[in-house]
Coordinates of all heavy atoms in Angstrom, one line a residue:
M5 N 0.8 -1.2 0.0 CA 0.0 0.0 0.0 C 0.9 1.3 0.0 O 1.9 1.3 0.7 CB -0.8 0.1 1.3 CG -1.8 -1.2 1.4 SD -2.6 -1.2 3.0 CE -3.6 0.2 3.0
L6 N 0.5 2.2 -0.8 CA 1.2 3.4 -0.9 C 0.6 4.5 -0.1 O -0.6 4.7 -0.1 CB 1.3 3.9 -2.4 CG 2.2 3.0 -3.3 CD1 2.1 3.5 -4.7 CD2 3.7 2.9 -2.8
F7 N 1.4 5.4 0.6 CA 0.9 6.5 1.3 C 1.8 7.7 1.0 O 3.0 7.6 1.0 CB 1.1 6.2 2.9 CG 0.2 5.1 3.3 CD1 0.6 3.7 3.3 CD2 -1.1 5.3 3.8 CE1 -0.2 2.7 3.8 CE2 -1.9 4.3 4.3 CZ -1.4 3.0 4.3
H8 N 1.1 8.8 0.8 CA 1.7 10.1 0.8 C 1.8 10.6 2.2 O 0.7 10.7 2.9 CB 1.0 11.1 -0.2 CG 1.5 12.4 -0.2 ND1 1.2 13.4 0.7 CD2 2.2 13.0 -1.1 CE1 1.8 14.5 0.4 NE2 2.4 14.3 -0.7
V9 N 3.0 11.1 2.6 CA 3.1 11.5 4.0 C 3.8 12.8 4.0 O 4.9 13.0 3.4 CB 3.9 10.5 4.8 CG1 4.1 11.0 6.3 CG2 3.2 9.2 4.9
R10 N 3.2 13.8 4.8 CA 4.0 15.0 5.0 C 4.4 15.1 6.4 O 3.6 14.9 7.3 CB 3.0 16.3 4.6 CG 3.7 17.6 5.0 CD 2.9 18.8 4.6 NE 3.6 20.0 5.2 CZ 3.8 21.1 4.6 NH1 3.3 21.3 3.4 NH2 4.4 22.1 5.2
M11 N 5.6 15.4 6.6 CA 6.1 15.6 8.0 C 6.7 17.0 8.2 O 7.5 17.5 7.5 CB 7.3 14.6 8.3 CG 7.0 13.2 8.1 SD 8.5 12.1 8.4 CE 8.3 10.9 7.0
D12 N 6.1 17.7 9.2 CA 6.6 19.0 9.6 C 7.3 18.9 10.9 O 6.8 18.4 11.9 CB 5.4 19.9 9.8 CG 4.8 20.3 8.4 OD1 4.0 19.6 8.0 OD2 5.1 21.4 7.9
V13 N 8.6 19.3 10.9 CA 9.5 19.1 12.1 C 9.5 20.4 12.9 O 9.7 21.5 12.4 CB 10.9 18.7 11.7 CG1 11.7 18.4 12.8 CG2 10.8 17.5 10.7
A14 N 9.3 20.3 14.2 CA 9.4 21.4 15.1 C 10.2 21.0 16.4 O 9.6 20.5 17.4 CB 8.0 21.9 15.5
I15 N 11.5 21.0 16.3 CA 12.4 20.6 17.5 C 12.4 21.9 18.3 O 12.7 23.0 17.8 CB 13.8 20.3 17.0 CG1 13.7 19.1 16.1 CG2 14.6 19.9 18.2 CD1 15.1 18.6 15.4
P16 N 12.2 21.8 19.6 CA 12.2 23.0 20.5 C 13.5 23.7 20.4 O 14.6 23.0 20.4 CB 11.9 22.4 21.9 CG 11.3 21.1 21.7 CD 11.8 20.6 20.4
H17 N 13.5 25.1 20.3 CA 14.7 25.8 20.2 C 15.6 25.7 21.4 O 16.9 25.9 21.3 CB 14.4 27.3 19.9 CG 13.7 27.5 18.6 ND1 14.3 27.2 17.3 CD2 12.4 27.9 18.3 CE1 13.5 27.4 16.4 NE2 12.3 27.9 16.9
D18 N 15.0 25.4 22.5 CA 15.9 25.3 23.8 C 16.4 23.9 24.0 O 17.0 23.7 25.1 CB 15.1 25.8 25.0 CG 13.8 25.0 25.2 OD1 13.4 24.2 24.4 OD2 13.2 25.3 26.3
L19 N 16.2 23.0 23.1 CA 16.7 21.7 23.3 C 18.2 21.7 23.3 O 18.8 22.4 22.5 CB 16.2 20.7 22.2 CG 16.5 19.2 22.4 CD1 15.6 18.7 23.6 CD2 16.1 18.4 21.1
D20 N 18.9 21.0 24.2 CA 20.3 20.9 24.2 C 20.9 20.6 22.8 O 20.5 19.6 22.1 CB 20.7 19.8 25.2 CG 22.2 19.7 25.4 OD1 22.9 19.2 24.4 OD2 22.8 20.2 26.4
P21 N 21.9 21.4 22.4 CA 22.4 21.2 21.0 C 22.9 19.8 20.7 O 22.8 19.3 19.6 CB 23.5 22.2 20.9 CG 23.1 23.3 21.9 CD 22.4 22.6 23.0
E22 N 23.6 19.2 21.8 CA 24.1 17.8 21.6 C 22.9 16.8 21.4 O 23.0 15.8 20.7 CB 25.0 17.4 22.8 CG 26.3 18.1 22.7 CD 27.3 17.6 23.8 OE1 27.0 16.5 24.4 OE2 28.3 18.3 24.1
V23 N 21.9 17.0 22.2 CA 20.7 16.1 22.1 C 20.1 16.3 20.8 O 19.7 15.3 20.0 CB 19.7 16.4 23.2 CG1 18.4 15.6 23.1 CG2 20.3 16.2 24.6
R24 N 20.0 17.5 20.3 CA 19.5 17.8 18.9 C 20.3 17.1 17.9 O 19.7 16.5 16.9 CB 19.4 19.3 18.7 CG 18.8 19.7 17.4 CD 19.1 21.2 17.0 NE 18.6 21.5 15.7 CZ 17.4 22.0 15.4 NH1 16.6 22.3 16.4 NH2 17.1 22.3 14.2
A25 N 21.6 17.3 18.0 CA 22.5 16.7 16.9 C 22.4 15.2 16.9 O 22.3 14.5 15.9 CB 23.9 17.2 17.2
D26 N 22.2 14.6 18.1 CA 22.1 13.1 18.1 C 20.8 12.7 17.6 O 20.7 11.7 16.8 CB 22.2 12.7 19.7 CG 22.0 11.2 19.8 OD1 22.9 10.5 19.3 OD2 21.0 10.8 20.4
L27 N 19.7 13.4 17.8 CA 18.4 13.1 17.3 C 18.4 13.1 15.8 O 17.9 12.2 15.1 CB 17.4 14.1 17.8 CG 16.5 13.8 19.0 CD1 15.7 15.0 19.3 CD2 15.6 12.6 18.8
V28 N 18.9 14.2 15.2 CA 19.0 14.4 13.8 C 19.9 13.4 13.1 O 19.5 12.8 12.1 CB 19.4 15.8 13.5 CG1 19.6 16.0 12.0 CG2 18.4 16.8 13.9
A29 N 21.0 13.0 13.8 CA 21.8 11.9 13.2 C 21.1 10.6 13.2 O 21.2 9.8 12.3 CB 23.2 11.9 14.0
R30 N 20.5 10.3 14.4 CA 19.7 9.0 14.4 C 18.6 8.9 13.5 O 18.3 7.9 12.8 CB 19.3 8.7 15.9 CG 20.4 8.4 16.8 CD 20.0 7.8 18.1 NE 19.3 8.8 18.9 CZ 18.0 8.8 19.3 NH1 17.3 7.7 18.9 NH2 17.4 9.7 20.0
E31 N 17.9 10.1 13.2 CA 16.8 10.1 12.3 C 17.4 9.9 10.9 O 16.8 9.1 10.1 CB 16.2 11.5 12.3 CG 15.1 11.8 11.3 CD 13.7 11.1 11.7 OE1 13.6 10.8 12.9 OE2 12.9 11.0 10.8
K32 N 18.5 10.5 10.5 CA 19.0 10.3 9.2 C 19.4 8.8 9.0 O 19.1 8.3 7.9 CB 20.3 11.2 9.0 CG 20.9 11.0 7.6 CD 22.0 12.0 7.3 CE 22.5 11.9 5.9 NZ 23.5 12.9 5.6
A33 N 20.1 8.2 10.0 CA 20.5 6.8 9.8 C 19.2 5.9 9.7 O 19.2 5.0 8.8 CB 21.2 6.4 11.1
R34 N 18.1 6.2 10.4 CA 16.9 5.4 10.3 C 16.3 5.6 8.9 O 15.8 4.6 8.3 CB 16.0 5.9 11.4 CG 14.7 5.1 11.4 CD 14.7 3.8 12.1 NE 13.4 3.1 12.2 CZ 13.1 2.0 11.6 NH1 14.1 1.3 11.0 NH2 11.9 1.5 11.7
A35 N 16.3 6.9 8.5 CA 15.7 7.2 7.2 C 16.5 6.5 6.0 O 15.9 5.9 5.1 CB 15.7 8.7 6.9
L36 N 17.8 6.4 6.1 CA 18.6 5.8 5.1 C 18.4 4.3 5.1 O 18.2 3.7 4.0 CB 20.1 6.1 5.3 CG 20.5 7.5 5.1 CD1 22.0 7.8 5.5 CD2 20.4 7.9 3.6
D37 N 18.2 3.7 6.3 CA 18.0 2.2 6.4 C 16.6 1.9 5.7 O 16.5 1.0 5.0 CB 17.9 1.8 7.9 CG 19.3 1.6 8.5 OD1 20.3 1.6 7.7 OD2 19.4 1.4 9.7
L38 N 15.6 2.8 6.1 CA 14.3 2.5 5.6 C 14.2 2.7 4.0 O 13.5 2.0 3.3 CB 13.2 3.4 6.3 CG 13.0 3.0 7.7 CD1 12.2 4.1 8.4 CD2 12.2 1.7 7.8
Q39 N 14.9 3.7 3.5 CA 15.0 3.9 2.1 C 15.7 2.7 1.4 O 15.2 2.2 0.4 CB 15.8 5.1 1.7 CG 14.9 6.4 2.0 CD 15.8 7.6 1.9 OE1 16.0 8.1 0.8 NE2 16.3 8.2 3.0
A40 N 16.8 2.2 2.0 CA 17.5 1.1 1.5 C 16.6 -0.2 1.5 O 16.7 -1.0 0.5 CB 18.8 0.8 2.2
S41 N 15.7 -0.3 2.5 CA 14.9 -1.5 2.6 C 13.7 -1.4 1.5 O 13.0 -2.5 1.4 CB 14.4 -1.7 4.0 OG 13.3 -0.8 4.2
G42 N 13.4 -0.2 1.0 CA 12.5 -0.1 -0.1 C 11.1 0.4 0.5 O 10.2 0.6 -0.3
V43 N 10.9 0.6 1.8 CA 9.6 1.0 2.2 C 9.4 2.5 2.2 O 8.4 3.0 2.4 CB 9.4 0.5 3.7 CG1 9.4 -1.0 3.7 CG2 10.4 1.1 4.7
W44 N 10.6 3.3 1.9 CA 10.5 4.7 1.9 C 11.1 5.1 0.6 O 12.2 5.7 0.5 CB 11.3 5.3 3.0 CG 11.1 6.7 3.4 CD1 10.5 7.7 2.5 CD2 11.4 7.4 4.6 NE1 10.6 8.9 3.2 CE2 11.1 8.8 4.5 CE3 12.0 6.9 5.8 CZ2 11.3 9.7 5.5 CZ3 12.2 7.9 6.8 CH2 11.8 9.2 6.6
P45 N 10.3 4.9 -0.6 CA 10.9 5.1 -1.9 C 11.1 6.6 -2.3 O 11.9 6.9 -3.2 CB 9.9 4.4 -2.8 CG 8.7 4.3 -2.1 CD 9.0 4.3 -0.7
E46 N 10.3 7.5 -1.7 CA 10.5 8.9 -2.0 C 10.6 9.8 -0.8 O 9.8 9.6 0.2 CB 9.3 9.4 -2.9 CG 9.1 8.7 -4.2 CD 10.1 9.2 -5.3 OE1 10.8 10.2 -5.1 OE2 10.2 8.5 -6.2
L47 N 11.6 10.7 -0.8 CA 11.8 11.6 0.3 C 12.2 12.9 -0.3 O 13.3 13.0 -0.9 CB 12.8 11.1 1.2 CG 13.3 12.1 2.3 CD1 12.2 12.6 3.2 CD2 14.4 11.3 3.2
W48 N 11.4 14.0 -0.2 CA 11.6 15.3 -0.7 C 11.5 16.4 0.4 O 10.6 16.4 1.1 CB 10.6 15.6 -1.9 CG 10.7 14.7 -3.0 CD1 10.1 13.5 -3.3 CD2 11.7 14.9 -4.1 NE1 10.5 13.0 -4.4 CE2 11.4 13.8 -5.0 CE3 12.6 15.8 -4.5 CZ2 12.1 13.6 -6.2 CZ3 13.3 15.6 -5.7 CH2 13.0 14.6 -6.5
R49 N 12.5 17.3 0.3 CA 12.4 18.5 1.2 C 11.4 19.5 0.6 O 11.4 19.6 -0.7 CB 13.8 19.2 1.3 CG 13.8 20.4 2.1 CD 13.5 20.2 3.5 NE 14.5 19.6 4.4 CZ 14.3 18.7 5.3 NH1 13.1 18.3 5.5 NH2 15.3 18.2 6.0
I50 N 10.6 20.1 1.4 CA 9.7 21.1 0.9 C 10.5 22.4 1.0 O 11.0 22.8 2.0 CB 8.4 21.2 1.8 CG1 7.6 19.9 1.6 CG2 7.6 22.4 1.4 CD1 6.4 19.8 2.5
V51 N 10.5 23.1 -0.1 CA 11.4 24.3 -0.2 C 11.0 25.3 0.8 O 9.8 25.7 1.0 CB 11.3 24.9 -1.7 CG1 12.1 26.2 -1.7 CG2 11.8 24.0 -2.7
G52 N 12.0 25.8 1.6 CA 11.8 26.9 2.6 C 11.2 26.4 3.8 O 10.9 27.3 4.7
E53 N 11.0 25.1 4.0 CA 10.4 24.7 5.3 C 11.2 23.5 5.9 O 11.8 22.8 5.2 CB 8.9 24.1 5.0 CG 8.0 25.3 4.5 CD 6.6 24.7 4.3 OE1 6.1 24.0 5.1 OE2 6.0 25.1 3.3
Y54 N 11.1 23.3 7.2 CA 11.7 22.1 7.8 C 10.7 21.1 7.8 O 9.9 20.8 8.8 CB 12.2 22.4 9.2 CG 13.0 21.4 9.8 CD1 13.4 20.2 9.2 CD2 13.5 21.5 11.2 CE1 14.3 19.2 9.7 CE2 14.3 20.5 11.7 CZ 14.7 19.4 11.0 OH 15.5 18.4 11.6
A55 N 10.4 20.6 6.6 CA 9.3 19.6 6.3 C 9.7 18.8 5.1 O 10.5 19.2 4.3 CB 8.0 20.4 6.1
N56 N 9.1 17.6 5.1 CA 9.3 16.8 3.9 C 7.9 16.2 3.4 O 7.0 16.1 4.2 CB 10.3 15.7 4.2 CG 9.7 14.6 5.0 OD1 8.9 13.8 4.6 ND2 10.1 14.6 6.3
V57 N 7.9 15.8 2.1 CA 6.9 15.0 1.6 C 7.6 13.6 1.2 O 8.7 13.6 0.6 CB 6.1 15.5 0.4 CG1 5.2 16.7 0.9 CG2 7.0 16.0 -0.7
S58 N 6.9 12.5 1.6 CA 7.5 11.2 1.4 C 6.4 10.3 0.8 O 5.2 10.6 1.0 CB 7.9 10.7 2.7 OG 9.1 11.3 3.2
I59 N 6.9 9.3 0.1 CA 6.0 8.2 -0.2 C 6.5 6.9 0.6 O 7.7 6.6 0.6 CB 6.0 7.9 -1.7 CG1 5.6 9.0 -2.6 CG2 5.2 6.6 -2.1 CD1 4.1 9.4 -2.4
F60 N 5.6 6.3 1.2 CA 5.9 5.0 1.9 C 5.2 3.9 1.2 O 4.0 4.0 0.8 CB 5.5 5.1 3.4 CG 6.4 5.9 4.2 CD1 6.1 7.2 4.4 CD2 7.6 5.3 4.8 CE1 7.1 8.0 5.1 CE2 8.4 6.2 5.5 CZ 8.2 7.5 5.7
D61 N 5.8 2.7 1.2 CA 5.2 1.5 0.6 C 5.2 0.4 1.6 O 6.3 -0.2 1.8 CB 6.0 1.1 -0.7 CG 5.4 0.0 -1.5 OD1 4.3 -0.6 -1.0 OD2 5.9 -0.4 -2.5
V62 N 4.1 0.3 2.3 CA 4.1 -0.7 3.5 C 2.8 -1.5 3.4 O 2.0 -1.2 2.5 CB 4.1 0.1 4.8 CG1 5.5 0.8 5.0 CG2 3.0 1.1 4.9
E63 N 2.7 -2.5 4.2 CA 1.6 -3.5 4.1 C 0.3 -3.0 4.6 O -0.8 -3.6 4.3 CB 2.0 -4.8 4.8 CG 3.1 -5.5 4.0 CD 3.4 -7.0 4.4 OE1 2.7 -7.4 5.5 OE2 4.1 -7.7 3.9
S64 N 0.3 -2.1 5.6 CA -1.0 -1.8 6.2 C -0.9 -0.4 6.9 O 0.2 0.1 7.1 CB -1.3 -2.8 7.3 OG -0.3 -2.8 8.3
N65 N -2.0 0.1 7.3 CA -2.0 1.3 8.1 C -1.2 1.1 9.4 O -0.5 2.0 9.8 CB -3.5 1.7 8.5 CG -4.3 2.1 7.3 OD1 -3.8 2.0 6.2 ND2 -5.5 2.5 7.6
D66 N -1.4 -0.1 10.1 CA -0.7 -0.3 11.3 C 0.8 -0.3 11.0 O 1.6 0.2 11.9 CB -1.1 -1.6 11.9 CG -2.5 -1.5 12.5 OD1 -3.0 -0.4 12.7 OD2 -3.1 -2.7 12.7
A67 N 1.3 -0.9 9.9 CA 2.7 -1.0 9.6 C 3.2 0.5 9.5 O 4.3 0.8 9.9 CB 3.0 -1.8 8.4
L68 N 2.4 1.3 8.8 CA 2.9 2.7 8.6 C 3.0 3.4 10.0 O 4.0 4.2 10.2 CB 2.0 3.5 7.6 CG 2.4 4.9 7.4 CD1 3.8 5.0 6.8 CD2 1.3 5.7 6.6
H69 N 2.0 3.2 10.8 CA 2.0 3.9 12.0 C 3.2 3.5 12.9 O 4.0 4.3 13.4 CB 0.7 3.7 12.8 CG 0.7 4.3 14.1 ND1 0.4 5.7 14.2 CD2 1.1 3.9 15.3 CE1 0.5 6.0 15.5 NE2 0.9 5.0 16.2
D70 N 3.5 2.2 12.9 CA 4.6 1.7 13.7 C 5.9 2.2 13.1 O 6.8 2.6 13.9 CB 4.7 0.2 13.6 CG 3.5 -0.5 14.5 OD1 2.8 0.3 15.2 OD2 3.3 -1.7 14.3
L71 N 6.0 2.3 11.8 CA 7.2 2.9 11.2 C 7.4 4.3 11.5 O 8.5 4.7 12.0 CB 7.2 2.7 9.7 CG 8.3 3.1 8.8 CD1 8.2 2.3 7.5 CD2 8.4 4.5 8.6
L72 N 6.4 5.1 11.4 CA 6.5 6.6 11.7 C 6.8 6.8 13.2 O 7.6 7.7 13.5 CB 5.2 7.3 11.3 CG 4.8 7.3 9.8 CD1 3.5 7.9 9.6 CD2 6.0 8.1 9.1
A73 N 6.2 6.0 14.0 CA 6.4 6.1 15.5 C 7.8 5.7 15.9 O 8.3 6.1 16.9 CB 5.4 5.3 16.3
S74 N 8.5 4.9 15.0 CA 9.8 4.5 15.3 C 10.9 5.5 14.9 O 12.0 5.4 15.3 CB 10.2 3.2 14.5 OG 10.4 3.4 13.2
L75 N 10.5 6.6 14.2 CA 11.4 7.6 13.9 C 11.9 8.4 15.1 O 11.0 8.9 15.9 CB 10.8 8.6 12.8 CG 10.4 7.9 11.5 CD1 9.7 8.9 10.6 CD2 11.6 7.3 10.8
P76 N 13.1 8.7 15.2 CA 13.6 9.4 16.4 C 13.0 10.8 16.5 O 12.8 11.3 17.7 CB 15.1 9.4 16.2 CG 15.4 8.2 15.4 CD 14.3 8.0 14.5
L77 N 12.7 11.4 15.4 CA 12.0 12.8 15.5 C 10.5 12.7 15.7 O 9.9 13.8 15.7 CB 12.4 13.6 14.3 CG 13.9 14.1 14.2 CD1 14.1 14.9 12.9 CD2 14.1 15.1 15.4
F78 N 10.0 11.5 15.8 CA 8.5 11.4 15.8 C 7.9 12.3 16.9 O 6.8 13.0 16.6 CB 8.1 9.9 16.1 CG 6.6 9.7 16.1 CD1 5.8 9.7 15.0 CD2 6.0 9.5 17.4 CE1 4.5 9.5 15.0 CE2 4.6 9.3 17.5 CZ 3.9 9.2 16.3
P79 N 8.5 12.4 18.1 CA 7.9 13.3 19.1 C 7.8 14.8 18.7 O 7.1 15.6 19.3 CB 8.7 13.0 20.3 CG 9.5 11.8 20.1 CD 9.7 11.7 18.6
F80 N 8.7 15.1 17.7 CA 8.7 16.6 17.3 C 8.1 16.8 15.9 O 8.4 17.8 15.3 CB 10.2 16.9 17.3 CG 10.9 16.6 18.6 CD1 11.8 15.6 18.7 CD2 10.6 17.4 19.8 CE1 12.4 15.3 20.0 CE2 11.1 17.1 21.0 CZ 12.0 16.1 21.1
M81 N 7.3 15.9 15.4 CA 6.8 16.1 14.1 C 5.3 16.1 14.1 O 4.7 15.3 14.8 CB 7.3 15.0 13.1 CG 8.8 15.0 12.9 SD 9.3 14.0 11.4 CE 9.1 12.4 12.0
S82 N 4.7 16.9 13.3 CA 3.2 16.8 12.9 C 3.3 16.1 11.6 O 4.0 16.4 10.6 CB 2.7 18.2 12.7 OG 2.8 19.0 13.9
I83 N 2.4 15.1 11.5 CA 2.4 14.2 10.3 C 1.0 14.1 9.8 O 0.0 13.9 10.5 CB 2.9 12.7 10.8 CG1 4.3 12.8 11.4 CG2 2.8 11.8 9.5 CD1 4.8 11.5 11.8
Q84 N 0.9 14.3 8.4 CA -0.3 14.1 7.7 C -0.1 12.9 6.7 O 0.8 12.9 5.9 CB -0.6 15.4 6.9 CG -1.0 16.6 7.8 CD -1.3 17.8 7.0 OE1 -0.4 18.2 6.0 NE2 -2.4 18.5 7.2
V85 N -1.1 12.0 6.8 CA -1.0 10.8 5.9 C -2.2 10.8 5.0 O -3.3 11.0 5.4 CB -1.1 9.5 6.8 CG1 -1.1 8.3 5.9 CG2 0.1 9.5 7.7
T86 N -1.8 10.5 3.7 CA -2.9 10.4 2.7 C -2.7 9.0 2.0 O -1.7 8.8 1.3 CB -2.8 11.5 1.6 OG1 -2.8 12.7 2.3 CG2 -3.9 11.4 0.6
P87 N -3.7 8.1 2.2 CA -3.6 6.8 1.5 C -3.8 7.0 0.0 O -4.6 7.9 -0.4 CB -4.7 6.0 2.0 CG -5.1 6.7 3.3 CD -4.9 8.2 3.0
L88 N -3.0 6.3 -0.8 CA -3.1 6.5 -2.3 C -3.7 5.2 -3.0 O -3.4 4.1 -2.6 CB -1.7 6.6 -2.9 CG -0.9 7.9 -2.3 CD1 0.5 8.0 -2.8 CD2 -1.7 9.2 -2.6
A89 N -4.4 5.5 -4.0 CA -5.0 4.4 -4.8 C -4.6 4.6 -6.3 O -4.2 5.7 -6.7 CB -6.5 4.4 -4.8
T90 N -4.7 3.6 -7.1 CA -4.3 3.7 -8.5 C -5.3 4.7 -9.2 O -6.5 4.6 -9.1 CB -4.3 2.4 -9.2 OG1 -3.5 1.5 -8.5 CG2 -3.9 2.4 -10.6
H91 N -4.7 5.6 -10.0 CA -5.6 6.6 -10.8 C -5.9 5.9 -12.1 O -5.0 5.3 -12.8 CB -4.8 7.9 -11.1 CG -5.7 8.9 -11.5 ND1 -6.4 8.9 -12.8 CD2 -6.2 10.1 -10.9 CE1 -7.2 10.0 -12.9 NE2 -7.0 10.7 -11.7
P92 N -7.3 5.9 -12.5 CA -7.7 5.1 -13.7 C -7.1 5.8 -15.0 O -7.0 5.1 -16.0 CB -9.2 5.3 -13.6 CG -9.5 6.4 -12.8 CD -8.4 6.5 -11.7
S93 N -6.6 7.0 -14.9 CA -6.1 7.6 -16.2 C -4.5 7.5 -16.2 O -3.9 8.0 -17.1 CB -6.4 9.1 -16.2 OG -7.8 9.2 -16.2
K94 N -3.9 6.9 -15.2 CA -2.5 6.7 -15.2 C -2.1 5.8 -16.4 O -2.7 4.8 -16.6 CB -2.0 6.1 -13.9 CG -0.5 5.9 -13.8 CD -0.1 5.3 -12.5 CE 1.3 4.8 -12.4 NZ 2.3 5.6 -13.0
L95 N -1.1 6.2 -17.1 CA -0.6 5.4 -18.3 C -0.2 4.1 -17.8 O 0.4 3.8 -16.8 CB 0.6 6.1 -18.8 CG 1.2 5.6 -20.2 CD1 0.2 5.9 -21.3 CD2 2.5 6.3 -20.5
G96 N -0.8 3.0 -18.4 CA -0.5 1.6 -18.1 C -1.5 1.1 -17.0 O -1.3 -0.1 -16.6
A97 N -2.3 1.9 -16.4 CA -3.2 1.4 -15.4 C -4.4 0.5 -15.9 O -4.8 0.7 -17.0 CB -3.8 2.6 -14.5
Ligands
MUC9 O1 14.3 16.3 7.9 C1 13.2 15.9 7.9 O2 12.4 16.1 6.9 C2 12.7 14.9 9.0 C3 13.2 13.5 8.8 C4 12.9 12.9 7.6 C5 14.0 12.2 7.1 C6 15.1 12.7 7.9 O3 16.3 12.4 7.8 O4 14.6 13.5 8.9

């Protein structure tokens, strides 16, 4: 199942800089692992915002929720999920 996901990141400005750097480094490592595994095929930065749009390819709503909740930055993100279906006018559909 494909999902369009928007993540807006809001790390508190008063968070200890070392804690912040560790969080961001762990988030990047997790994101790279998930992309390599194929479940996170698209990851794009939204111009001018600390936010991304992503496509996830997972087996279920529960699988997506567990994956998103496993992200180190999850406590600092607002997340919007849109489930995707095949468009009848897509070439080859
Ligand atoms: O920076 C972000 O958009 C948040 C998150 C998503 C991937 C990653 O490395 O961090």
Side-chain angles (χ1 to χ4, degrees):
M5 300 170 67
L6 293 174
F7 295 88
H8 175 279
V9 176
R10 174 176 173 138
M11 301 179 220
D12 289 84
V13 186
I15 301 173
H17 294 295
D18 60 354
L19 191 67
D20 181 284
E22 285 186 17
V23 174
R24 180 194 176 95
D26 178 64
L27 263 175
V28 171
R30 289 192 292 116
E31 177 79 17
K32 181 171 183 174
R34 180 85 176 117
L36 291 171
D37 281 350
L38 290 167
Q39 288 171 79
S41 78
V43 299
W44 194 342
E46 297 287 343
L47 170 59
W48 294 92
R49 178 63 78 218
I50 297 175
V51 175
E53 299 184 39
Y54 193 1
N56 73 73
V57 290
S58 293
I59 300 293
F60 286 91
D61 188 357
V62 294
E63 289 193 356
S64 65
N65 292 3
D66 288 344
L68 180 63
H69 182 81
D70 290 346
L71 184 159
L72 294 173
S74 78
L75 297 175
L77 285 178
F78 181 75
F80 306 107
M81 293 196 288
S82 300
I83 301 177
Q84 293 178 307
V85 175
T86 306
L88 301 175
T90 303
H91 196 289
S93 300
K94 179 177 164 53
L95 192 66

